[in-house]
Amino acid sequence: MRTTLFKKLNESIWEFRTRFNGMAYRLFAFWDKDIRAMVVATHGLVKKTQKTPPGEIRKAEAIMKAYYELRK
């Protein structure tokens, strides 16, 4: 079975997928647009379904927005 480790969820948010001890973990992140070599992780969850909950994407976007506001 081939599993994709990174999945682009929208224009800025990515999902990193991994398995450990039979559990599927998801970590949400984005690339810092100024420091191109830096990935900022927003939050993670134990995923129970194949579909990513839209609320988790919105949460990652809100954290990303706060991140850029703090950098100003």
Side-chain angles (χ1 to χ4, degrees):
M1 177 172 82
R2 183 180 170 153
T3 303
T4 304
L5 292 179
F6 292 99
K7 178 181 177 185
K8 190 170 186 176
L9 299 176
N10 63 24
E11 287 298 312
S12 9
I13 304 300
W14 289 77
E15 179 183 70
F16 171 72
R17 304 165 170 200
T18 192
R19 283 193 163 278
F20 182 72
N21 285 338
M23 300 287 287
Y25 295 93
R26 302 296 190 257
L27 181 66
F28 298 91
F30 62 93
W31 291 93
D32 184 304
K33 58 189 170 190
D34 298 322
I35 309 168
R36 298 217 179 248
M38 187 166 91
V39 175
V40 180
T42 60
H43 68 292
L45 57 92
V46 175
K47 195 163 174 188
K48 296 179 174 134
T49 65
Q50 289 295 320
K51 190 168 177 126
T52 302
E56 298 300 331
I57 298 171
R58 287 190 299 272
K59 181 177 179 179
E61 290 171 328
I63 294 169
M64 180 180 69
K65 182 179 177 186
Y67 169 83
Y68 284 119
E69 286 294 319
L70 288 171
R71 291 197 57 209
K72 286 184 180 180

